[in-house]
Amino acid sequence: MAAPGKHVGHYIYRNGRFLLSNFEQFCFRRNFGWSVVVCQQNASTERESAEAIVIPKKKTWSKWAVLQALASTVNRDPTAPHYMFQDDPYLTPRTSPEFKLYSLSQESGRMAANHIVNKNPKFFQKDFAEPHIPCLMPETMELCIEEVSEAALLERIMLRKVKAAVDMYDQLLQTGTTVSPDASNDLLDLICLYGDRDPVQDDKPEAEDVAQEVQEEGRRRKGRLRRASDLVRIVWRENNNAERIFNLLPERDTRAYSALIRGMVKYGAHVKAFNTYTDMLNNRLTADVHTFNALISAAPEVRERYTEKWDLIVDLLNQMNEQKVKPNLLTFNALLKGLRRCGSLARAQSLHTLSEMKAMGIAPSLASFDHVLGIFYKAASPSQGQTDILQEVMTEVAGRTFVAQDPDDVNFFSSAMRICLDTKDIEAAYKVHDLLSVGENWRMLGDSFQQSIYYGRMFNLLCMMEHIDVVLKWYKELIPSLYYPNPQGMRDLLQALDTDNRLDMIPQIWKDIRRMGHDNKSDLVDELLSLMARDKHSPEIQESFAVCALDVKSLYEQGQGARMALEWTATAMTNITSVLLAAQKKQQAWDMLKLFKTKNRVPSEELMEEFLASIKSSNDPQHAMELVQISASFCLPSTPKLAERVLQAFELSEEQKTILSELEVSTEVSE
């Protein structure tokens, strides 16, 4: 009995401990609401403790990382002008002419400061900027090596002193010193880059011979030039120093030929460039990709027929293939740019060119797409198929960030917006603007002139296609931080207000017109006055119109000033008078009517009818008599009818009736 009792006791003891353990876990889970999260956290903690701790490697941050991070937190203030004017709030522009004046003044001051720094470098040696800003430090422009040597030649080449470098090269040859091929090629590169002239420094006036040649070239060129920089066009002179030094070279390699050909193409000697290329092939030399790029861009200049231009371009591409020269992005862009002058065959070839670029792994730049759009949208009224090209291009570039790779990249956005305006495609315009907002694509918009063109076209399209509420939202978003509208832009806005029946905002728009300096444009002022005088509105709106009309009147009365003054016209005077009558400004309206005689202007018959209706509402016979007399003084044909209506509508004395009868008779006799 002892043995079985022992086994039973051991069994009870073991099962009791098991039950006690389960009971404690049950109570613990009850306290935490049977939470599975607790169990998962415990398990994850155990796994993390088991894994090894990895210390990250040291990361080297860019010197501009903090500035970039801070810049990313700041958005553009649509109510503030351009950020370039933040350093001097007193010179904050309010109009487009002021923007041009102040920005040029600021640049002029910067150039003057740069001139002083470069002329006195010893006083500006301490560097306060962190990180270092090289452009703020004085440039070393003075020559240090005076003796005749190759080192002196290289110094002049480095300082971009073309004439001094050519003189030093000639002195070396006169002394019998052999110039190394690298130094000779460096000199040839410098001469061909600047067209055998010293580059114009920002802080120095232009050379007299260059200015004279520019004037002669400007007389030869027809049409109005857009900017002053378009005048600075240097042409390739016959037998210049580049050709002379090239002929003096003992061995002419590919680099020398490439420099000469590219210089000839840059300065308009296209035929000579192809002749030099032929001479290069005769000497059993192969050209590099930069030489072929220059020749492809010059191909349309040496042929007249479209097929001949394209055949020459194809021949150059075949020669690239034979010489095993791999094309780059600028090669295809030069090809597409040349196709823009090849007529109808350009469309199919441009699409084939884009396919070839993708096959070679070369991503098109904005200039590539700009050339394609220029090929398909050359006509004034593009077809439906051409409109699809714009959609395909915008689908291809959507969401991408672009960097400058071609000088023509800055033409894409203004050209694309022009196409949207011509095709009245507001959706495509929004896609173009969305692309501009991606990353730093806004840098591809170009200079201030191109920015003004882009935003002007966009605003014009918005005024034509969108509801006025959307137009006003963009108006507040773009002005004055990005765009200063021209008079045509403000006329488009007034027409948009008229289309959506929001003429009540005209007084507010008039304040902006005055702030932007367009209040002396007669066409714009006449448009505004005609909209206010055309229809009748509520008394509150008519009162605001009257205040606006009196403000316009004050501009006419200012006379000649610093700006071109407005001259009274019969239409402007009639519209102002009508607005004042509608607002019950009778005394001011009478003053305007008397002003017609002073300014030798004739009021319309409709205006006299409006005056008579206003006088009848106030039952004023004396003013009615004056109105007939004024009408008779202008010899208006409606004077007898006007006098008859006054006799019927008012109780007049015998003397007044006699005066009206005499006026009727005198008017009939004069007729």
Side-chain angles (χ1 to χ4, degrees):
M1 293 297 294
K6 180 180 179 181
H7 289 295
V8 171
H10 178 70
Y11 180 80
I12 294 173
Y13 175 76
R14 186 183 62 183
N15 290 343
R17 292 184 60 186
F18 176 77
L19 292 173
L20 182 61
S21 176
N22 288 341
F23 180 76
E24 290 176 353
Q25 292 182 5
F26 174 77
C27 294
F28 180 81
R29 290 178 181 175
R30 290 281 297 177
N31 291 335
F32 285 91
W34 295 88
S35 176
V36 182
V37 178
V38 177
C39 300
Q40 291 179 351
Q41 289 179 349
N42 294 333
S44 62
T45 304
E46 293 176 358
R47 285 196 301 269
E48 290 177 358
S49 61
E51 295 177 357
I53 299 176
V54 179
I55 301 176
K57 295 181 179 180
K58 181 180 179 181
K59 182 175 178 59
T60 303
W61 294 95
S62 170
K63 294 182 178 180
W64 300 274
V66 176
L67 293 177
Q68 292 173 350
L70 292 174
S72 64
T73 62
V74 180
N75 295 325
R76 178 179 56 85
D77 183 6
T79 63
H82 196 276
Y83 68 89
M84 71 169 66
F85 303 106
Q86 292 181 359
D87 293 337
D88 196 348
Y90 181 76
L91 297 179
T92 299
R94 298 175 301 168
T95 65
S96 181
E98 286 185 357
F99 178 87
K100 182 178 180 180
L101 176 63
Y102 293 166
S103 58
L104 290 178
S105 301
Q106 191 178 61
E107 184 64 23
S108 176
R110 187 178 294 109
M111 291 168 58
N114 191 31
H115 173 75
I116 295 175
V117 170
N118 292 332
K119 284 297 182 182
N120 304 277
K122 59 182 179 180
F123 299 120
F124 303 95
Q125 294 299 324
K126 193 167 183 179
D127 187 6
F128 293 94
E130 180 62 36
H132 175 66
I133 304 176
C135 64
L136 297 183
M137 300 303 294
E139 297 180 6
T140 304
M141 302 299 295
E142 300 296 331
L143 297 175
C144 299
I145 305 176
E146 296 295 339
E147 66 272 7
V148 179
S149 62
E150 186 171 323
L153 174 62
L154 294 176
E155 181 190 34
R156 283 153 178 78
I157 294 174
M158 183 186 66
L159 296 178
R160 300 180 299 165
K161 296 184 178 296
V162 178
K163 293 183 178 180
V166 172
D167 293 340
M168 181 58 65
Y169 182 82
D170 292 337
Q171 293 179 24
L172 288 173
L173 294 183
Q174 291 173 4
T175 58
T177 305
T178 302
V179 182
S180 65
D182 290 339
S184 300
N185 286 329
D186 289 342
L187 176 60
L188 192 60
D189 289 340
L190 179 68
I191 298 174
C192 294
L193 177 63
Y194 293 108
D196 194 17
R197 292 173 180 82
D198 284 325
V200 178
Q201 301 292 335
D202 293 338
D203 55 352
K204 292 183 180 180
E206 192 175 354
E208 186 176 351
D209 56 344
V210 176
Q212 222 171 28
E213 197 166 311
V214 165
Q215 292 177 359
E216 294 175 0
E217 178 68 15
R219 296 191 196 100
R220 289 195 297 267
R221 296 179 65 183
K222 296 180 180 179
R224 183 179 179 181
L225 296 171
R226 179 169 66 87
R227 291 177 297 179
S229 60
D230 293 335
L231 285 169
V232 186
R233 179 177 174 83
I234 303 174
V235 295
W236 187 268
R237 295 182 299 185
E238 292 289 337
N239 300 321
N240 58 9
N241 287 321
E243 296 183 17
R244 181 176 64 83
I245 292 176
F246 176 79
N247 294 325
L248 291 175
L249 293 178
E251 296 182 2
R252 303 164 193 168
D253 54 2
T254 300
R255 180 182 173 186
Y257 275 102
S258 176
L260 191 63
I261 292 173
R262 294 166 66 185
M264 290 176 175
V265 172
K266 181 178 181 180
Y267 295 107
H270 305 105
V271 177
K272 296 192 70 172
F274 276 92
N275 294 336
T276 306
Y277 174 67
T278 303
D279 183 52
M280 178 182 181
L281 295 180
N282 294 334
N283 290 329
R284 300 179 182 275
L285 294 174
T286 58
D288 57 6
V289 65
H290 306 293
T291 305
F292 279 110
N293 293 348
L295 292 173
I296 291 173
S297 64
E301 303 291 344
V302 297
R303 297 291 188 271
E304 293 184 0
R305 300 181 60 183
Y306 293 152
T307 55
E308 293 176 352
K309 295 177 181 180
W310 175 243
D311 291 341
L312 180 57
I313 293 175
V314 172
D315 183 52
L316 290 171
L317 294 176
N318 291 331
Q319 293 183 35
M320 289 185 69
N321 188 28
E322 293 174 0
Q323 299 179 24
K324 297 181 179 180
V325 178
K326 186 177 180 180
N328 57 14
L329 173 65
L330 297 180
T331 307
F332 288 103
N333 284 351
L335 173 59
L336 291 171
K337 190 174 183 179
L339 281 173
R340 300 181 70 166
R341 303 177 58 183
C342 291
S344 58
L345 61 87
R347 295 179 181 175
Q349 298 299 336
S350 63
L351 298 179
H352 178 70
T353 302
L354 289 179
S355 301
E356 189 69 19
M357 294 178 68
K358 294 181 180 179
M360 297 190 65
I362 299 177
S365 68
L366 288 178
S368 309
F369 295 113
D370 176 60
H371 295 322
V372 172
L373 293 177
I375 291 170
F376 279 86
Y377 289 89
K378 185 176 295 184
S381 56
S383 63
Q384 182 63 29
Q386 294 171 326
T387 306
D388 294 339
I389 292 296
L390 176 61
Q391 300 294 339
E392 293 177 8
V393 169
M394 296 314 303
T395 302
E396 180 71 20
V397 301
R400 292 172 53 183
T401 301
F402 290 90
V403 295
Q405 303 178 74
D406 189 295
D408 292 330
D409 284 340
V410 296
N411 298 328
F412 172 79
F413 285 104
S414 58
S415 299
M417 192 57 68
R418 175 187 59 81
I419 296 170
C420 296
L421 179 60
D422 293 339
T423 58
K424 307 297 186 295
D425 193 345
I426 189 65
E427 296 299 329
Y430 282 133
K431 292 180 181 179
V432 173
H433 194 70
D434 290 341
L435 177 64
L436 183 67
S437 304
V438 175
E440 294 189 350
N441 288 346
W442 57 271
R443 297 183 183 275
M444 302 291 102
L445 199 54
D447 57 13
S448 59
F449 183 81
Q450 289 175 306
Q451 292 178 21
S452 177
I453 292 177
Y454 170 82
Y455 287 114
R457 289 168 176 169
M458 179 181 177
F459 188 69
N460 188 3
L461 182 60
L462 289 169
C463 292
M464 285 192 297
M465 305 301 297
E466 284 288 8
H467 189 268
I468 188 60
D469 293 335
V470 179
V471 174
L472 293 176
K473 180 182 76 69
W474 281 102
Y475 179 79
K476 296 178 181 178
E477 179 71 18
L478 299 178
I479 302 167
S481 60
L482 294 175
Y483 174 53
Y484 293 93
N486 56 12
Q488 182 59 43
M490 300 308 295
R491 290 189 68 181
D492 294 337
L493 179 59
L494 291 176
Q495 293 172 4
L497 293 173
D498 184 22
T499 302
D500 290 330
N501 197 21
R502 289 296 304 276
L503 298 181
D504 57 292
M505 298 196 64
I506 286 182
Q508 179 181 348
I509 300 302
W510 169 248
K511 294 179 181 178
D512 293 341
I513 291 175
R514 294 211 63 176
R515 179 176 56 84
M516 295 175 188
H518 300 322
D519 51 0
N520 61 342
K521 307 299 188 295
S522 58
D523 294 341
L524 180 60
V525 175
D526 289 342
E527 178 79 14
L528 181 135
L529 291 174
S530 64
L531 290 177
M532 290 193 299
R534 189 184 62 191
D535 302 323
K536 303 300 180 183
H537 302 274
S538 63
E540 294 80 7
I541 296 177
Q542 291 295 162
E543 181 67 24
S544 63
F545 282 0
V547 175
C548 181
L550 291 175
D551 192 23
V552 174
K553 178 188 174 185
S554 65
L555 288 178
Y556 281 99
E557 293 174 344
Q558 286 178 0
Q560 297 293 335
R563 299 187 303 163
M564 183 177 61
L566 294 171
E567 292 186 2
W568 282 111
T569 62
T571 304
M573 299 175 74
T574 300
N575 289 331
I576 292 177
T577 308
S578 299
V579 172
L580 294 175
L581 284 174
Q584 302 300 319
K585 303 285 186 181
K586 297 180 180 180
Q587 184 59 45
Q588 290 89 336
W590 273 104
D591 295 339
M592 284 297 303
L593 188 60
K594 296 176 182 178
L595 193 61
F596 276 91
K597 196 70 174 179
T598 306
K599 299 298 182 180
N600 295 323
R601 301 291 186 268
V602 179
S604 63
E605 296 181 4
E606 292 79 7
L607 181 62
M608 307 306 289
E609 294 291 337
E610 292 180 14
F611 261 105
L612 182 58
S614 176
I615 293 172
K616 287 174 64 177
S617 63
S618 60
N619 194 18
D620 190 348
Q622 184 62 33
H623 276 164
M625 290 292 299
E626 292 182 14
L627 182 65
V628 176
Q629 292 173 348
I630 292 175
S631 178
S633 65
F634 286 114
C635 299
L636 295 178
S638 61
T639 302
K641 187 183 298 184
L642 188 66
E644 183 179 354
R645 293 182 59 186
V646 170
L647 285 172
Q648 296 175 358
F650 297 93
E651 294 182 1
L652 304 177
S653 62
E654 293 298 328
E655 181 181 358
Q656 290 174 335
K657 291 179 181 180
T658 304
I659 295 175
L660 287 180
S661 300
E662 293 176 355
L663 291 175
E664 286 187 67
V665 172
S666 61
T667 304
E668 292 175 355
V669 170
S670 62
E671 290 179 356

